[in-house]
Amino acid sequence: MTGRTESIESMEQLAVVWRAMVLDRDAEADVRDLPGIAVRWADCRFAFWNCVTLTEVDADAALVARRLGQAAEIMRAKKHPGFLWLFEDLLGDEARGAVRTAAERAGLAYAFPGTGMAGDLLPLPEPAHPELTFVRVTTEEQLEAYADLNSRAYGFPLEDGRDGLLGSALWKNQVYAYLGLRDGVPVTCAATVEADGRLFVVLVATDPAWQRRGYGEAVTRKALYEGARATGLTRATLHATAAGAPVYPRIGFKPNSPVRFYSLKE
């Protein structure tokens, strides 16, 4: 794939996966495909399930500014905060240079960076780590442990992560979600889910007390391995945070589009 094609793929994968995740959280959630904007908003306490993104390719500066204003208005109408995900490589050259200023004018504040990544990397060898055992998430107790690891890793209150995941049949049946246990205690987690002919890696996290030991890479490999074995898929995609970005190329992922996250100004 070309770089632009992979950037489009990255944006479209977000829209596909988040549709499933948000509707799983709330069947009445705000899931709309508007002109130039995809809304995927569960309006729950878990901010990652509250998402809007721009979908047009090569939009000029004036159109991007208008879409940012529309996105901000959608976000202001919600009860719970969330993020605008902006795939910068999809913007026209002029718009890309002016987007930070346009976002500020729309009432949006830059939050943190990310990176879209993809690769034709499956199947992988069955993974192992000398300090971990892997368990698939199939029970509510395991799902709570998964949610709590994400909350700790991303700095959310525990109740926020639990509000996003607890009670989900999707996560216990259709998502290939794995915990990495150290001496029986969950310390890391990763999941993959089938999305339009690909495996999408979602909600990778390691307890801050156990980071920098290769746990996140190991459990991500496990989720990819099991997802590929179950589905036969060979291509995988993900959106990496700054902390995770150095890990995924070691598995075989290649960066494509910078992703910028924006929240409403306080």
Side-chain angles (χ1 to χ4, degrees):
M1 289 187 176
T2 64
R4 174 56 66 86
T5 301
E6 288 195 342
S7 296
I8 295 170
E9 175 191 40
S10 193
M11 176 271 292
E12 291 178 343
Q13 284 278 283
L14 172 68
V16 169
V17 174
W18 256 240
R19 172 185 288 274
M21 296 298 169
V22 166
L23 290 176
D24 172 66
R25 173 59 182 78
D26 181 358
E28 302 300 319
D30 187 358
V31 175
R32 291 177 287 162
D33 292 297
L34 305 174
I37 299 174
V39 183
R40 304 288 187 265
W41 204 283
D43 217 10
C44 67
R45 290 180 55 173
F46 188 53
F48 283 141
W49 287 170
N50 302 330
C51 162
V52 293
T53 190
L54 306 191
T55 58
E56 285 153 328
V57 179
D58 285 330
D60 62 24
L63 180 55
V64 169
R66 186 159 71 250
R67 295 297 187 225
L68 290 171
Q70 293 168 332
E73 285 301 311
I74 292 168
M75 295 166 74
R76 289 190 192 99
K78 304 303 183 184
K79 178 180 179 181
H80 292 289
F83 297 105
L84 167 71
W85 298 48
L86 189 64
F87 293 82
E88 287 196 343
D89 279 1
L90 299 187
L91 307 179
D93 291 341
E94 180 189 3
R96 197 177 307 132
V99 69
R100 190 74 65 95
T101 300
E104 289 279 332
R105 288 175 179 164
L108 297 165
Y110 177 68
F112 54 90
T115 307
M117 296 189 182
D120 297 296
L121 50 89
L122 302 170
L124 295 171
E126 184 168 8
H129 191 289
E131 299 171 8
L132 298 178
T133 56
F134 300 115
V135 176
R136 185 172 180 183
V137 172
T138 58
T139 70
E140 195 73 357
E141 181 181 11
Q142 291 166 338
L143 192 56
E144 182 174 307
Y146 198 107
D148 288 356
L149 283 168
N150 272 270
S151 294
R152 293 189 183 100
Y154 294 110
F156 296 141
L158 293 184
E159 287 306 316
D160 289 11
R162 293 173 183 177
D163 190 42
L165 291 179
L166 292 193
S168 170
L170 177 75
W171 273 79
K172 288 179 284 190
N173 293 283
Q174 297 178 46
V175 177
Y176 304 97
Y178 283 84
L179 296 169
L181 310 183
R182 179 188 167 101
D183 299 326
V185 177
V187 294
T188 191
C189 62
T192 57
V193 61
E194 187 171 356
D196 194 22
R198 301 155 180 82
L199 282 178
F200 185 86
V201 179
V202 62
L203 296 189
V204 178
T206 300
D207 189 306
W210 296 104
Q211 292 177 353
R212 305 188 189 283
R213 296 168 181 261
Y215 293 175
E217 179 179 344
V219 75
T220 300
R221 287 178 177 273
K222 178 64 174 178
L224 285 163
Y225 172 81
E226 296 294 349
R229 188 170 69 158
T231 64
L233 296 173
T234 59
R235 184 165 180 82
T237 61
L238 59 82
H239 300 122
T241 62
V247 173
Y248 301 116
R250 296 200 293 265
I251 301 175
F253 288 93
K254 296 179 180 178
N256 46 62
S257 179
V259 186
R260 301 290 180 255
F261 291 80
Y262 289 83
S263 58
L264 286 175
K265 288 183 181 178
E266 296 183 359

